[in-house]
Amino acid sequence: MITLEKVRQRAESDARTYGYYLNPDPDFLKDLLEGLKENEERYGYPSCPCRLASGKLELDRDIICPCDYRDPDVAEYGACYCALYVRKDLYDGKTPIQPVPERRPTWKQARAYGEAAQAPGAEKPSETAAPIVKATSEVKKKLWYCRQCGYVVFREDPPYVCPICKAKREMFAELPVRVDATG
């Protein structure tokens, strides 16, 4: 069973590792951690508590906390999209926490909304709701290689920042994948 304390410890450890802090507002922080816990119990992975997940790991890989967008958001705005992770100046109250614009590409959002809307038991959208884009469950994964540190990842697109050396997305190169015809 996943406990709220375990979720907190994982987030604190990750924050310390990368020089970040957790949101200083205890009630807001608790809500975010509860969202992570609920998503992990629901989907089997801790998807971002402030984004709609599809429930399919391959479609949600970029929003598993800490999401792919955290580092560029903290670098540019001082906080990640949901404000779970913040810089020291925001943590200390020297700089106010401001809203962070969504960095996740709209086509990934549409795909997630489409998958979530098609899930069993999902509410039907109202007539006035924005149309849901038909999602494709097929994800074209590629092998990506960080030219700076050698980190290799097999996914749809490279991370914005290398989780090992913090190199930017531009440092990733696609490696060809040979498919064996025997299986």
Side-chain angles (χ1 to χ4, degrees), residues 1 11 13 20 67 71-72 90 101 105 126 131 137 140 144 175 178 181:
M1 180 172 172
S13 174
Y20 302 140
C67 71
D71 294 337
L90 279 78
S126 71
S137 298
K140 304 272 192 249
W144 297 98
L175 293 174
R178 219 175 13 197

Side-chain angles (χ1 to χ4, degrees), residues 4-34 36 49 65-67 70 74 78-80 82-93 95 97:
L4 194 58
E5 186 55 33
K6 190 75 163 167
V7 172
R8 174 187 283 278
Q9 288 172 355
R10 187 173 52 215
E12 285 175 342
S13 174
D14 190 71
R16 275 192 308 276
T17 298
Y18 294 100
Y20 302 140
Y21 296 82
L22 297 184
N23 191 298
D25 180 328
D27 293 331
F28 187 72
L29 176 61
K30 183 175 184 256
D31 287 344
L32 291 172
L33 296 173
E34 285 175 347
L36 280 171
C65 188
C67 71
R70 179 195 63 183
V74 173
C80 66
C82 64
L84 174 61
Y85 295 99
V86 298
R87 273 190 327 235
K88 183 169 179 31
D89 58 316
L90 279 78
Y91 179 80
D92 291 339
T95 307
I97 297 175

